[in-house]
Amino acid sequence: MLRALDLAERGKYLAAPNPRVGAVIVAEQGGISSIVGEGFHPRAGEPHAEIFALRDAGSATRGATLYVNLEPCCHHGKTPPCVDAILQAGIRRVVVGTQDPFPEVSGRGVLTLRNRGVAVDVGVCERQCRQLNRFFFSVYKRGRPWVILKMAMSLDGKIATRTGDSRWISCEASRKIVHDLRAEVDAVLVGSGTVLKDRPRLTARPTDLLPHEFRQPRRIVLDRRGRLLSNLDCIRDIHAAPLEIIVGRDVVPGDRDMPVKVTQWPLENCASALEDLLQYFAGENIQSLLVEGGQEVATSFLEAGLVDEMFLFIAPMLIGGRDAPSLFGGLGADCIENALPFKEMTVERIERDILVRGRLADLP
C-alpha cells in the first residue's frame, strides 16, 4: 500500500478534480510474491490507476492481489467502471486503503467485488490514504474545499514593516516551495489590499516542472469595496490564469469588458459569508484553496475556523514596531486554553528560514 501511495502522489498536479490514486498488483511466481504491475491516475479523463496496473501486469493478473489506496469505482463516468476491469482480469483479492466518499461509489465498489467472490480488505494505511486525498475528501464530506493558509513572518511575529514593506521576508528557497504548492492547489486567494500594494502575479512558477506538467491555479481576490475594478493593472499577467474578483453586494460591476469574472457576495457578514463562499467554490470544482492574503484575510479565515492546514515560514530577522502588522489580528483567544492548536506539526529548515507546517482541523 505504501508503494500505491507513492504512485498516487505522482498525480498531485493534474489529477484534480479526480482523487490521487495508485495501484499495485502482486502475484506469486515460482513461490515468490512480487509486483507484476503498477500504475497511477495521471489526470482527469485518462484511465484510472487500476487500469494502468492491469495493463502493466498483463496475463499475470489471474489470481493476483490488487493494492489500491482508494476504493475502485463502479459507475460510468468519463471512463468505464474499474470494478468491471478487475473482475474480467481475474483478480482474486483487493486491498483498499480507504472507502471512496464520492456518493456514486461509496461502499458500492467494495460490495460489488465481494458479491462476485473477490476477497476485499478495507482500511490499510487508511490515515495516510485520507491525508493524500484530503482535498477530495473535504469536498465530499464537508461540502467545501480544504483551506491552506500560507504566511511568512519574522522572529518577532511581524508579516511586514510599519510602512507595509514585506518583500522579501522569506528566502528564495521558501518561495520555491510556495510556487510548488500553488501548482498543486485548485485556487489561490488574496485580499485586494495585497494586490494593490504588491502587484502580484498569483501564478504558479515551479522551477522543476514544465508548463504541461501542472495547471495554473484559479486566482481569487476578495475585494469588498470593488477597488480593483478600476485598477486591474495591479494584477500582473492578467491573462495567464483565470481570475475572479469577489466584491460586496453593494458594488455595481458595470458593463465594461473585463478579462475577469466578477461575483457579488455579502462579504460584510464575514464568518458566515466566508463559509458560504467556500461552498460556492466547491460547486466550481475547487477542492483546495491556498490563502495568501495579509493580516486581515488571514484573521478572517482563522477566526471563522476555516483554516485546515498552515504553512508558516519564519525568517531569522527582527522587524519590530508596534504598528507593524503581526500574523494574526482580531480579538484573539481570551485564554490559552482557547488558543488554536497545531496538529501533527512538522518543523523543517529551508536554507535560512524555518518552515512550520501543521493542521488546524481533523482530516475529513
Side-chain angles (χ1 to χ4, degrees):
M1 187 60 71
L2 294 178
R3 175 58 181 165
L5 285 166
D6 286 342
L7 290 166
E9 186 75 21
R10 297 182 186 180
K12 71 178 183 179
Y13 296 115
L14 292 173
N18 290 351
R20 303 164 184 177
V21 183
V24 176
I25 297 174
V26 175
E28 188 173 301
Q29 296 177 324
I32 300 175
S33 295
S34 58
I35 294 176
V36 295
E38 56 184 31
F40 70 97
H41 180 52
R43 69 175 73 208
E46 294 192 15
H48 292 181
E50 298 93 320
I51 305 304
F52 282 113
L54 291 171
R55 291 175 181 174
D56 190 35
S59 60
T61 58
R62 294 288 165 188
T65 298
L66 168 68
Y67 292 83
V68 60
N69 62 291
L70 191 68
E71 178 181 11
C73 68
C74 56
H75 70 297
H76 281 272
K78 293 183 178 179
T79 58
C82 288
V83 163
D84 291 352
I86 292 169
L87 291 170
Q88 291 170 8
I91 293 290
R92 176 183 57 83
R93 177 176 174 237
V94 177
V95 180
V96 176
T98 186
Q99 184 174 304
D100 193 331
F102 187 59
E104 292 187 45
V105 178
S106 189
R108 293 184 177 90
V110 169
L111 182 61
T112 301
L113 290 170
R114 285 175 174 164
N115 287 342
R116 295 289 296 275
V118 177
V120 182
D121 298 313
V122 182
V124 177
C125 300
E126 183 171 8
R127 188 167 190 80
Q128 295 99 309
C129 294
R130 286 166 49 212
Q131 166 70 19
L132 179 69
N133 277 311
R134 61 197 183 282
F135 304 164
F136 184 74
F137 271 74
S138 182
V139 166
Y140 288 105
K141 286 292 188 181
R142 305 187 303 178
R144 69 164 180 84
W146 182 265
V147 177
I148 302 171
L149 175 63
K150 185 278 298 181
M151 300 292 283
M153 72 176 192
S154 61
L155 285 173
D156 55 343
K158 303 297 183 180
I159 61 173
T161 68
R162 59 182 173 78
T163 63
D165 181 30
S166 61
R167 291 195 174 187
W168 295 101
I169 290 179
S170 58
C171 68
E172 187 174 349
S174 294
R175 298 196 296 275
K176 179 183 181 300
I177 291 175
V178 174
H179 279 291
D180 291 341
L181 186 56
R182 284 182 184 178
E184 186 178 348
V185 300
D186 294 324
V188 174
L189 182 145
V190 297
S192 58
T194 296
V195 173
L196 291 169
K197 177 171 65 72
D198 294 338
R199 297 189 72 248
R201 297 178 184 176
L202 302 178
T203 53
R205 300 183 297 282
T207 57
D208 299 333
L209 296 173
L210 297 174
H212 69 275
E213 294 177 324
F214 69 97
R215 299 168 299 133
Q216 284 294 344
R218 182 167 160 184
R219 299 172 295 178
I220 300 170
V221 181
L222 296 184
D223 184 20
R224 182 169 58 86
R225 288 172 285 174
R227 295 184 293 173
L228 285 184
L229 299 185
S230 57
N231 291 282
L232 287 179
D233 58 340
C234 286
I235 300 178
R236 298 160 61 196
D237 295 344
I238 195 165
H239 297 284
L243 172 64
E244 182 171 8
I245 300 176
I246 311 292
V247 299
R249 59 186 170 186
D250 296 329
V251 175
V252 180
D255 298 325
R256 288 169 295 176
D257 183 22
M258 296 185 293
V260 301
K261 179 180 181 181
V262 179
T263 301
Q264 291 178 294
W265 207 267
L267 295 173
E268 295 75 15
N269 186 2
C270 195
S272 62
L274 285 180
E275 192 159 0
D276 292 343
L277 190 61
L278 289 181
Q279 293 177 8
Y280 158 70
F281 290 156
E284 294 287 302
N285 259 346
I286 294 176
Q287 297 180 354
S288 51
L289 179 68
L290 176 61
V291 176
E292 292 195 48
Q295 184 195 71
E296 184 176 350
V297 170
T299 299
S300 297
F301 275 87
L302 285 165
E303 286 191 328
L306 296 174
V307 175
D308 300 307
E309 186 175 355
M310 191 164 182
F311 281 66
L312 178 59
F313 296 91
I314 304 174
M317 63 178 70
L318 298 173
I319 293 177
R322 67 173 63 122
D323 294 328
S326 58
L327 177 71
F328 189 0
L331 291 176
D334 55 355
C335 59
I336 295 299
E337 184 182 356
N338 294 329
L340 295 175
F342 262 40
K343 303 177 182 181
E344 298 184 6
M345 185 182 76
T346 62
V347 180
E348 181 182 357
R349 181 75 176 266
I350 309 295
E351 291 187 357
R352 70 170 197 188
D353 296 344
I354 295 173
L355 169 58
V356 179
R357 178 180 176 181
R359 288 189 289 102
L360 296 177
D362 292 327
L363 290 174

